[in-house]
């Protein structure tokens, strides 16, 4: 029996009879097994040996090559995450539905990064840094949101139509900024079977002022 990163075994099944319940005794069998389920991971572009990873039910962990070990920086479900390319101590991470965080010191302290965002994101909300500017961040909720100041404030950069029969458009499930031109951004919206909507891919070439549906 496997439950995320714990494997346990039982010699009985806890069968119950009227007036008496047989005990279920479990033994941890996961020693030495590397079986965490990771949603996302990020590498340091200019500092080899630094890794950050978000794991299902096991939070976000940061690997520091200097100390040769992993450091748990936050709990819950660890989601999208990345490392500043110039300073590997500056890490960005998140948990479910778009709760965004930042640490300037490798996870010793946390700072919340979603002031002003009025939407709820996907279970694993895409959260990225502009490859050309480490102060510009993007997060995909129902719409694209952009921060020009490292997450201190956010601006809405798209206005997608509400899905028929729904209170909002489908959430963004994937996001990318062109390394050669920060104004060129791609995003994907997942399938919404309950509203009869297929998945979609959108592109903007002006930073979010105008969006083109390029699904076809």
């Amino acid at each position: 029996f496997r439950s995320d990163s714990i494997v346990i075994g039982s010699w009985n099944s806890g069968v119950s009879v009227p007036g008496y319940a047989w005990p279920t005794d479990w033994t941890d069998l996961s020693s030495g097994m590397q079986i965490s389920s990771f949603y996302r991971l990020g590498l340091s572009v200019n500092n080899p040996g630094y890794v950050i990873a978000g794991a299902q039910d096991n939070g976000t962990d940061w690997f520091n090559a200097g100390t040769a070990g992993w450091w748990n920086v936050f709990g819950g479900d660890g989601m999208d995450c990345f490392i500043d390319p110039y300073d590997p101590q500056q890490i960005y991470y998140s948990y479910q539905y778009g709760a965004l965080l930042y640490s300037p010191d490798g996870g010793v302290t946390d700072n919340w990064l979603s002031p002003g965002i009025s939407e709820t994101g996907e279970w694993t909300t895409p959260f990225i840094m502009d490859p050309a500017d480490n102060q510009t961040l993007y997060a995909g909720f129902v719409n694209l949101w952009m921060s020009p100041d490292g997450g201190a404030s956010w601006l809405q950069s798209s206005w997608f139509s509400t899905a028929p029969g729904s209170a909002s458009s489908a959430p963004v499930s994937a996001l990318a900024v062109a390394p050669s031109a920060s104004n060129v951004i791609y995003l994907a919206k997942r399938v919404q079977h309950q509203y009869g909507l297929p998945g979609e891919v959108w592109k903007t070439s002006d930073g979010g002022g105008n969006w083109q549906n390029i699904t076809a």
Side-chain angles (χ1 to χ4, degrees), residues 12-18 20-24:
N12 62 47
S13 60
V15 176
S16 296
V17 296
Y20 185 80
W22 293 95
T24 301

Side-chain angles (χ1 to χ4, degrees), residues 23 28 49 82 102 109 117 120 126 147 162 171 193 205 207 210 215:
D28 186 352
F82 51 90
Y102 160 74
T109 58
I117 297 178
T120 299
S147 173
T162 299
H193 293 293
S205 297
N210 296 282
T215 308

Side-chain angles (χ1 to χ4, degrees), residues 122-123 141 163-164 166 168-174 187-202 215:
E122 183 70 286
W123 174 255
F141 287 78
S166 171
S168 67
S169 177
V172 176
S173 57
L187 64 78
K189 286 176 164 281
R190 69 171 175 85
V191 173
Q192 283 198 307
H193 293 293
Q194 67 271 40
Y195 303 118
L197 297 177
E200 297 177 337
V201 181
W202 291 78
T215 308

Side-chain angles (χ1 to χ4, degrees), residues 43-51 63-66 88:
L43 306 176
S44 177
V45 175
N46 298 317
N47 298 276
Y50 289 87
V51 182
F63 183 80
N64 179 346

